[in-house]
Amino acid sequence: MLAPAKTPRAIVNQLHREVTRIFRLPDVQQRMTAIAADVTLIAPEEVDRMVAGEVKLTADLARQAGIRAE
């Protein structure tokens, strides 16, 4: 789950806590298992690092390919 850029960290943290709480409920876990869903909960800071890494990788690939924004 992602939130819009510049969402206040307090809101992001609250969303993370609530989503984590909900996904840990036994009935939710049973439903996820029933549909073979593999849910991985990661901290907001890790999502920040992952997104930053993907942005850098994409920018580097675009630069190497000579792709420029118009």
Side-chain angles (χ1 to χ4, degrees):
M1 176 189 285
L2 298 173
K6 300 187 185 198
T7 299
R9 182 55 69 173
I11 300 296
V12 171
N13 290 339
Q14 182 179 2
L15 285 169
H16 175 70
R17 280 191 307 274
E18 287 301 308
V19 168
T20 298
R21 182 185 66 75
I22 290 166
F23 272 105
R24 288 184 175 157
L25 294 172
D27 61 319
V28 174
Q29 289 182 354
Q30 288 173 352
R31 283 187 236 163
M32 294 298 111
T33 299
I35 62 170
D38 185 18
V39 177
T40 302
L41 300 170
I42 59 175
E45 296 78 16
E46 182 62 22
V47 174
D48 292 345
R49 285 190 290 276
M50 290 171 54
V51 170
E54 289 296 317
V55 168
K56 182 182 180 330
L57 175 65
T58 301
D60 290 347
L61 290 172
R63 198 172 9 267
Q64 290 171 10
I67 299 170
R68 298 177 195 273
E70 294 183 9

